[in-house]
Amino acid sequence: MREAAGLIKRPVPQGPQGYLWRRMVTKARITCPNGGFSKVETMPTDACRHLYRCDGCGASLRPLAGDCCVFCSYSDQVCPPKQAAA
């Protein structure tokens, strides 16, 4: 795998044709629902993040019901594990 500018290229099996390379987004803008403070963060590629502390107001964010991590709940991108599953 190769990482550049927040993207990881990974092979995706495509049957008898071989592999298709898909870009995985590893950077996301997370926005606090309390004060609206937002920051670009690097998402972990091998795990979901269940706790995030807002640098603006200090609130501890946890995933919303039905979401696997704080990035799926509060950012402009879904987490890498969900991207890999798609």
Side-chain angles (χ1 to χ4, degrees), residues 16-35:
Q17 298 95 343
Y19 285 91
L20 169 71
W21 288 88
R22 179 183 288 168
R23 290 183 172 206
M24 182 178 292
V25 179
T26 58
K27 299 233 184 241
R29 178 170 298 280
I30 190 164
T31 303
C32 179
N34 298 328

Side-chain angles (χ1 to χ4, degrees), residues 54-77:
C54 174
D55 287 345
C57 68
S60 293
L61 304 180
R62 296 192 183 273
L64 298 173
D67 285 340
C68 64
C69 70
V70 293
F71 290 103
C72 290
S73 294
Y74 304 107
S75 79
D76 60 352
Q77 301 289 333

